[in-house]
Amino acid sequence: TQVDDEGRVISGVTKETFTKYNATSEDLSGVVDFLNSIPNTKYTILYTEDQSGNVKASLRTQLPEINVAKIAENYGGGGHPKAAGYKTPGHLEKETVWQVKKD
């Protein structure tokens, strides 16, 4: 997990990971808030898969100028300006992107 160029921290937990560690979504209580405390973070998204073929997104921010409820509303969810979420059909797939940066 790292802060991207836009100040986002995005992390995910697949259903395979839940199974491997005999864990449940309740075991992740507080993780999104912990990730949101990483320095230079504007907002955090924690994606989790469920056994029914859905992905739940939990969004958090500490900044007054960011409204994560507005982000969640774009995907049919909602919440509060500082804590929101949504659920959508699908699965998680990790993507690695390489970029060349000028020194």
Side-chain angles (χ1 to χ4, degrees):
T1 301
Q2 65 186 43
V3 181
D4 71 10
D5 291 342
E6 295 181 34
R8 299 175 301 187
V9 172
I10 301 173
S11 192
V13 181
T14 64
K15 61 185 174 185
E16 289 82 8
T17 301
F18 282 117
T19 300
K20 179 179 179 179
Y21 294 102
N22 195 27
T24 67
S25 60
E26 289 80 32
D27 293 318
L28 296 179
S29 177
V31 169
V32 70
D33 296 309
F34 173 75
L35 294 172
N36 197 48
S37 70
I38 295 173
N40 302 314
T41 299
K42 289 185 178 176
Y43 66 95
T44 299
I45 304 173
L46 177 61
Y47 293 112
T48 56
E49 287 183 327
D50 67 20
Q51 298 297 329
S52 303
N54 294 303
V55 175
K56 177 185 172 191
S58 298
L59 295 87
R60 298 290 186 277
T61 187
Q62 296 178 20
L63 300 179
E65 66 271 19
I66 305 282
N67 183 340
V68 293
K70 296 241 183 241
I71 298 169
E73 287 170 6
N74 290 327
Y75 300 96
H80 302 283
K82 304 293 175 234
Y86 64 90
K87 187 184 283 191
T88 188
H91 68 279
L92 294 175
E93 198 169 284
K94 187 172 183 178
E95 181 178 287
T96 302
V97 177
W98 290 93
Q99 298 178 2
V100 176
K101 300 273 184 160
K102 300 266 185 200
D103 290 335

